[in-house]
Amino acid sequence: MRTRVGVLCDRIIEAGWLVALIVVPLFFNVYSSRVFEPDKIVLLRSIATLMAVAWIIKIIDEGWPEGVSWRDGGWKRRLGAVMRVPLVGPTLLLAVVYLVATAFSVVPRISLWGSYQRLQGAYSTLCYMVIALLMMQTMRRTEQLRRLVTILILTSLPIALYGVAQHYRLDPLPWGGDVTSRVAANMGNAIFIAAYLIMVVPLTLARIIRLQAAILTGPADETAASGGGLVRLSWRVGLGALFWVAVGVQFLAWAVLGMERGLAVGLLLIVGLTLVAGYLRRPMARFVLLGAYALILCAQLATILFSQSRGPWLGLVAGLFFFGLLYLFSRRWRTAAVTFVGLAAALVAFLVLINLPGTPLSGVRELPYVGRLAQVFETESGTGKVRVLIWEGAIDMIRADPARTLIGYGPEAMYVAYNPFYPPDLAHYESRSASPDRSHNETFDALVMTGVVGFVAYMLLFGSVFYDGLHWLGLLRGRAQSHLFLALAGAGAVLGVVVPLVVEGTLRFAGVGLPLGFVAGVALYMAASAILGMRARGGEARDEPAGAGEEGGLAGGDLVLMVALLAAIVAHFVEIHFGIAIAATRTYFWTYVALMALVGRRLLTAEPATEAADSERTATPAARYRRG
């Protein structure tokens, strides 16, 4: 039974995750010693601790959930049921792995609290998980979900605008490095700002698609198109295409003409949409919001472009591929899905050709921005060489001690344990006094810090995200499809290790090959599903939207949001194997995991509480006793 204290605790918990999603990416302090990451994580830890305290008070006040008893062993059954909940079991398993790795760390104190450089110890990791688990436990209304997604999108706007301002030399702060050619905004590094924004772009795109669908499919279509269904369809397609052309023009204005002109074009688009709303006699609010979100999307993409960070670019490409194919196929638009696969294959071929010497596309290397993508395979100079040398030292660390191979050296312990394995050539590319604290690759980081056990738990978590996400979208049903998914994903991961090993004779590219091979296997499963016309959402593939009620499949806003969340996690998964996960991207990853579980399991309801129910929930125990 709900009480006033319990309701207050729920509100504190919700306020906590909203504040965390705003503060962690947005905050930085130029007057602190580290400016960026440690300050963000200190705030995150404080928020997560407050949320945990509020939850404990709620449990004390309201009691354990029904069916949980410490006396008759009911809690064991409850724990077993919790472990079987999608994405919760892998999360708790990873938490246990981090605690074990911390206990046996070469520097237990640092592994627990975090290093001076990053503060990403076991405590911080558990705080991310606490926020995600409390979301799963307490979020139950669709209005909470809408509020959270809106916060995610709006928080990115000032950050993206700051990046654009840096590129056009409008930044009032005198940073020590060059933040004009490669913007860093308020993250301190060009890779970090792009890594954060690629996780928000899919959500912004999903919000635009939902608003556009609501605008183009309203009952007032006859106002502008009274000539019948064909005319209405042509009007909707034409207006939708015109909108995306205007968005493309706005992005070019942001990228080429300057920040002021980009803002002007964005505002002109909002004015134009307002005039269209007046002409069609529609409510203007949705049209204004559509233009506003288009402005936010263009600012995000412009900052990602100005970062010139190859890893996030590749992550964004992968995320948008998954977004497009997942959305088209889940809506059963098979022809469009097959066409999209062909275009994606052509893009991959283009990226490969511009990276190979002597091809007809070699001249493209000299173009601005595109030239950065032509350096993906360069490992003999620059940052590519540094990464390869660090990976070689990480492999030596993993092989050195069988016990450490199994459980790792501990979170945040690489900085301390790496020196005996430092490759001499690395001193020619970085300061000789510098010792890497990260591998710039999540696979090697997981193996070094938590060992093979931790890496297996880590891959189990991401594998569960992909598997459950596709299942909730209706793209993975039945034993045959499950076996095909596991076979292709597993084969891709194995080939990602074996092929570089056969070609080079070393495992230094295994940290990139394994995750990219895994993602390629999942993408191949989706492409095969689209081309072969596998059943989606329980019905035959055809070029029309599926109904909302078919076999409990997601539909409408839930479907688009699930697609966006999975696409954002794909982008993040690709990016962290070329860079370093930061506080903002870790926080958003665990938030997205929680949202996927909530949306996929249909735990959210739009039903407003009645006045009587509100009164009952907020009544004190004494008052309920008197009424009884």
Side-chain angles (χ1 to χ4, degrees):
M1 193 67 69
R2 301 299 309 276
T3 67
R4 291 179 180 176
V5 173
V7 172
L8 177 61
C9 290
D10 281 341
R11 291 175 179 173
I12 292 174
I13 292 171
E14 181 181 1
W17 72 59
L18 291 176
V19 171
L21 295 174
I22 296 171
V23 170
V24 173
L26 194 58
F27 179 81
F28 70 102
N29 181 12
V30 296
Y31 297 105
S32 71
S33 58
R34 298 294 299 171
V35 181
F36 300 107
E37 284 298 285
D39 297 341
K40 296 173 183 288
I41 293 180
V42 167
L43 290 171
L44 176 78
R45 288 176 172 182
S46 302
I47 294 168
T49 302
L50 179 61
M51 292 171 65
V53 170
W55 181 78
I56 293 172
I57 294 174
K58 175 185 173 182
I59 294 298
I60 295 173
D61 183 66
E62 297 182 348
W64 289 97
E66 185 178 353
V68 179
S69 173
W70 293 97
R71 293 182 178 179
D72 60 6
W75 65 274
K76 296 181 180 178
R77 295 191 297 273
R78 182 76 176 183
L79 180 60
V82 167
M83 290 297 292
R84 290 191 294 272
V85 173
L87 303 181
V88 173
T91 298
L92 297 179
L93 176 62
L94 188 62
V96 172
V97 167
Y98 260 82
L99 292 175
V100 172
T102 299
F104 293 96
S105 170
V106 295
V107 280
R109 184 181 180 88
I110 293 177
S111 292
L112 176 61
W113 300 109
S115 65
Y116 173 76
Q117 288 81 5
R118 304 194 187 277
L119 221 60
Q120 290 276 14
Y123 180 28
S124 298
T125 301
L126 294 177
C127 287
Y128 300 134
M129 296 179 183
V130 163
I131 292 175
L133 292 173
L134 288 180
M135 282 185 185
M136 296 183 197
Q137 177 69 24
T138 61
M139 183 184 291
R140 289 297 179 266
R141 302 192 310 276
T142 54
E143 65 179 87
Q144 293 176 299
L145 176 65
R146 287 194 298 269
R147 183 160 50 236
L148 187 149
V149 174
T150 301
I151 287 295
L152 290 170
I153 297 172
L154 293 183
T155 301
S156 71
L157 178 59
I159 297 173
L161 290 177
Y162 189 18
V164 176
Q166 281 185 340
H167 179 75
Y168 289 112
R169 303 179 184 277
L170 300 175
D171 187 356
L173 295 176
W175 298 105
D178 178 20
V179 293
T180 302
S181 58
R182 295 189 62 192
V183 302
N186 64 328
M187 299 289 181
N189 190 297
I191 298 176
F192 296 166
I193 180 61
Y196 158 72
L197 287 175
I198 65 174
M199 298 189 71
V200 190
V201 166
L203 294 183
T204 310
L205 190 59
R207 181 63 63 88
I208 291 174
I209 289 174
R210 287 294 297 155
L211 283 170
Q212 193 176 21
I215 287 172
L216 297 179
T217 58
D221 288 343
E222 293 79 2
T223 302
S226 58
L230 182 61
V231 175
R232 274 198 301 276
L233 178 62
S234 300
W235 169 78
R236 290 199 297 266
V237 172
L239 187 59
L242 183 62
F243 167 76
W244 286 109
V245 169
V247 171
V249 171
Q250 183 184 167
F251 171 70
L252 290 176
W254 282 98
V256 177
L257 301 181
M259 184 174 182
E260 298 88 346
R261 291 182 176 86
L263 279 171
V265 173
L267 294 175
L268 284 176
L269 177 58
I270 295 175
V271 172
L273 288 171
T274 305
L275 294 177
V276 171
Y279 173 74
L280 297 177
R281 298 179 182 177
R282 301 279 188 90
M284 293 185 180
R286 285 180 175 174
F287 287 81
V288 173
L289 284 175
L290 183 63
Y293 283 118
L295 187 150
I296 295 173
L297 178 65
C298 291
Q300 292 168 349
L301 294 175
T303 300
I304 294 172
L305 177 69
F306 295 150
S307 74
Q308 298 199 54
S309 299
R310 292 165 293 181
W313 284 1
L314 293 176
L316 180 62
V317 170
L320 292 180
F321 168 76
F322 271 73
F323 186 102
L325 188 55
L326 283 170
Y327 181 72
L328 294 173
F329 190 39
S330 62
R331 297 299 301 272
R332 298 196 197 176
W333 295 338
R334 184 187 169 195
T335 302
V338 173
T339 304
F340 188 78
V341 170
L343 294 174
L347 177 61
V348 171
F350 171 77
L351 292 176
V352 172
L353 288 176
I354 65 175
N355 277 277
L356 296 177
T359 64
L361 296 177
S362 298
V364 178
R365 290 167 169 257
E366 305 303 322
L367 295 177
Y369 300 109
V370 180
R372 290 285 295 171
L373 288 175
Q375 300 173 3
V376 173
F377 296 159
E378 290 185 2
T379 59
E380 298 302 323
S381 62
T383 57
K385 182 65 174 180
V386 171
R387 282 175 171 79
V388 170
L389 290 172
I390 294 175
W391 296 343
E392 291 176 357
I395 292 173
D396 292 337
M397 289 182 69
I398 298 166
R399 289 173 170 173
D401 185 343
R404 295 301 172 186
T405 301
L406 186 63
I407 62 172
Y409 291 83
E412 295 280 70
M414 183 175 176
Y415 179 82
V416 177
Y418 190 82
N419 286 340
F421 311 97
Y422 188 96
D425 287 347
L426 187 57
H428 297 291
Y429 299 92
E430 288 194 328
S431 172
R432 297 185 181 184
S433 61
S435 180
D437 69 325
R438 288 295 189 280
S439 301
H440 294 271
N441 179 271
E442 191 73 3
T443 294
F444 284 133
D445 282 341
L447 288 168
V448 168
M449 295 183 186
T450 58
V452 173
V453 174
F455 175 71
V456 170
Y458 153 83
M459 285 301 298
L460 178 63
L461 173 64
F462 275 99
S464 299
V465 168
F466 289 117
Y467 183 93
D468 291 327
L470 293 177
H471 172 72
W472 286 323
L473 287 170
L475 306 181
L476 205 161
R477 293 186 182 277
R479 185 172 299 176
Q481 291 189 8
S482 297
H483 289 171
L484 179 61
F485 169 84
L486 295 174
L488 290 176
V494 172
L495 288 175
V497 176
V498 172
V499 171
L501 178 62
V502 171
V503 172
E504 276 208 332
T506 69
L507 290 171
R508 60 180 184 171
F509 291 108
V512 173
L514 188 149
L516 293 188
F518 174 80
V519 171
V522 177
L524 182 60
Y525 169 82
M526 290 167 37
S529 300
I531 294 172
L532 299 177
M534 292 183 183
R535 301 199 323 162
R537 292 160 59 88
E540 295 179 357
R542 59 182 184 270
D543 293 334
E544 61 183 38
E550 293 183 357
E551 294 193 5
L554 297 176
D558 287 344
L559 184 146
V560 179
L561 179 59
M562 181 64 73
V563 167
L565 292 171
L566 191 54
I569 289 178
V570 169
H572 173 66
F573 184 69
V574 172
E575 182 275 327
I576 58 178
H577 287 91
F578 294 91
I580 299 172
I582 59 174
T585 56
R586 290 285 195 205
T587 304
Y588 277 43
F589 165 74
W590 286 106
T591 298
Y592 292 177
V593 168
L595 295 183
M596 286 183 63
L598 290 166
V599 174
R601 297 173 59 211
R602 296 180 168 227
L603 296 178
L604 305 177
T605 176
E607 296 181 1
T610 63
E611 184 177 351
D614 282 337
S615 176
E616 177 66 20
R617 282 199 303 266
T618 58
T620 63
R624 290 198 305 272
Y625 176 80
R626 287 194 298 271
R627 285 203 300 269

